[in-house]
């Protein structure tokens, strides 16, 4: 569903050029849930923006559904760190915003919007304004707004990072169930290793800037998953420990990826994507 080949992104600034991503190769299968982790500033959010068509790669190619990405697509939805709800619109009207933008029949999608709100536990709140909701409830509205267009691809840029730990855990588990039901392809950027292990089929580990794929870890834990004690607690703990070790190994390596000086980190449960060239 998503294919990146040789993707790099360079930004110009007052102090010169900044290389955010370098030579990224990545395939994400239809219906797969992939999490992307890495240190701050490694290009995780830039990667999402390239897939969404909100920015163009400096080199390389980005494809979604086999087609080159040249602009935003109607079958790709994105959630940001903040819910970005319009304060003067009700919960229902915020969910229906993409429907209005795309010129789709409002009456038909109103039924779906109410079903989505009920699914995330917000039935009866459709007439409320955003300021009347908690942060977690606002993010639920943003999630419904992303789902209203039945996206083939959902891109999520740390959507729960501003929430308290309990609400974040609750929404992560809810997102897992939604993904199992709707089977969209999901790419999630997160700083939480536990969140990545809870949700993802595979976890992509990026190096410090410029972001390159250090390795990809297969989670391989049956769903549904929980953060509490369960049959697969030991497997989740091992996977989390492996990711902590990989991210810890990247400290002090900023801007160190030069030809002939790279190395590859391997582990029993991980594999490097073809063509990444190691680090």
């Amino acid at each position: 569903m998503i294919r990146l080949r040789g993707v790099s992104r360079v930004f110009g600034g007052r102090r010169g050029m900044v290389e955010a991503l370098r030579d990224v190769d990545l395939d994400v299968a239809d219906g797969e849930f992939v999490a992307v982790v890495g240190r701050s500033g490694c290009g995780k959010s830039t990667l999402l923006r390239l897939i969404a068509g909100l920015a163009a790669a400096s080199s390389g190619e980005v494809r979604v559904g086999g087609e080159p990405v040249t602009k935003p697509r109607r079958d790709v939805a994105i959630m940001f760190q903040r819910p970005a709800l319009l304060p003067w619109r009700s919960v229902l009207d915020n969910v229906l915003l993409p429907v209005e933008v795309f010129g789709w029949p409002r009456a038909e999608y109103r039924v779906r919007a109410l079903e989505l709100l009920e699914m995330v536990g917000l039935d009866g709140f459709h007439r409320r304004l955003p300021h009347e909701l908690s942060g977690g409830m606002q993010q639920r509205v943003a999630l419904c707004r992303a789902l209203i267009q039945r996206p083939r691809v959902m891109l999520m840029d740390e959507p729960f990072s501003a929430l308290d730990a309990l609400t974040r855990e609750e929404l992560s588990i809810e997102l897992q169930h939604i993904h199992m039901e709707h089977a969209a392809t999901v790419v999630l950027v997160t700083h939480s290793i536990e969140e990545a292990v809870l949700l993802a089929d595979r976890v992509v580990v990026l190096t410090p800037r410029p972001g390159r794929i250090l390795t990809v870890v297969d989670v391989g834990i049956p769903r549904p998953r929980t953060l509490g004690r369960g049959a697969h607690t030991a497997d989740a703990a091992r996977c989390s420990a492996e990711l902590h070790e990989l991210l810890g190994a990247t400290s002090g390596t900023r801007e160190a990826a030069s030809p002939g000086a790279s190395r590859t980190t391997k582990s029993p449960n991980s594999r490097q994507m073809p063509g990444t060239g190691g680090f």
Side-chain angles (χ1 to χ4, degrees):
M1 179 58 69
I2 301 171
R3 170 165 289 185
L4 286 76
R5 286 293 179 270
V7 171
S8 299
R9 173 65 178 175
V10 179
F11 294 94
R14 290 180 298 175
R15 298 186 178 182
M17 308 302 288
V18 176
E19 188 179 15
L21 294 170
R22 179 189 296 174
D23 195 26
V24 173
D25 288 2
L26 178 65
D27 289 332
V28 181
D30 188 12
E32 188 176 20
F33 197 125
V34 169
V36 181
V37 299
R39 294 182 174 274
S40 296
C42 71
K44 300 186 299 297
S45 296
T46 298
L47 187 67
L48 285 195
R49 293 175 64 84
L50 296 180
I51 298 171
L54 299 177
S58 302
S59 61
E61 184 179 54
V62 181
R63 287 180 174 266
V64 171
E67 300 177 359
V69 175
T70 58
K71 60 182 179 180
R73 298 167 50 115
R74 294 188 177 188
D75 58 352
V76 176
I78 187 165
M79 280 187 69
F80 298 101
Q81 294 180 22
R82 298 184 181 276
L85 303 179
L86 299 179
W88 60 88
R89 294 178 68 110
S90 68
V91 164
L92 180 61
D93 286 340
N94 267 289
V95 174
L96 288 171
L97 182 60
V99 174
E100 297 179 17
V101 171
F102 297 147
W104 295 338
R106 179 183 170 92
E108 175 185 335
Y109 280 88
R110 185 179 189 277
V111 175
R112 172 166 169 77
L114 291 173
E115 290 174 348
L116 288 170
L117 289 170
E118 181 178 2
M119 180 179 67
V120 300
L122 289 179
D123 47 315
F125 286 85
H126 60 285
R127 293 190 178 91
R128 301 287 184 92
L129 294 174
H131 76 268
E132 299 178 280
L133 307 179
S134 68
M137 295 168 77
Q138 290 183 27
Q139 279 294 35
R140 285 185 169 93
V141 176
L143 179 58
C144 291
R145 183 179 58 193
L147 291 171
I148 191 71
Q149 62 199 78
R150 294 184 173 89
R152 297 174 69 192
V153 175
M154 278 194 65
L155 307 173
M156 313 186 78
D157 191 358
E158 298 189 78
F160 310 140
S161 62
L163 304 177
D164 64 86
L166 289 177
T167 303
R168 181 171 185 161
E169 177 180 338
E170 182 182 77
L171 284 179
S172 295
I173 293 173
E174 197 166 283
L175 176 60
Q176 177 186 186
H177 290 300
I178 289 172
H179 175 252
M180 292 171 65
E181 179 177 343
H182 291 266
T185 304
V186 181
V187 180
L188 168 74
V189 163
T190 179
H191 277 105
S192 170
I193 289 176
E194 288 70 25
E195 188 173 80
V197 172
L198 173 69
L199 294 170
D201 299 304
R202 293 185 296 147
V203 181
V204 177
V205 182
L206 293 185
T207 68
R209 191 177 66 243
R212 302 172 70 190
I213 296 182
L214 176 67
T215 193
V216 179
V217 176
D218 290 308
V219 177
I221 301 173
R223 290 189 171 90
R225 305 168 188 165
T226 66
L227 292 175
R229 295 186 61 83
H232 304 285
T233 302
D235 293 332
R238 280 193 294 270
C239 192
S240 295
E242 179 181 359
L243 289 167
H244 276 290
E245 183 178 352
L246 286 166
L247 288 172
T250 66
S251 61
T253 59
R254 184 181 298 273
E255 304 287 0
S258 59
S262 61
R263 61 182 178 85
T264 302
T265 301
K266 296 183 179 180
S267 59
N269 296 323
S270 63
R271 67 178 183 272
Q272 188 183 1
M273 296 298 292
T276 58
F279 181 83

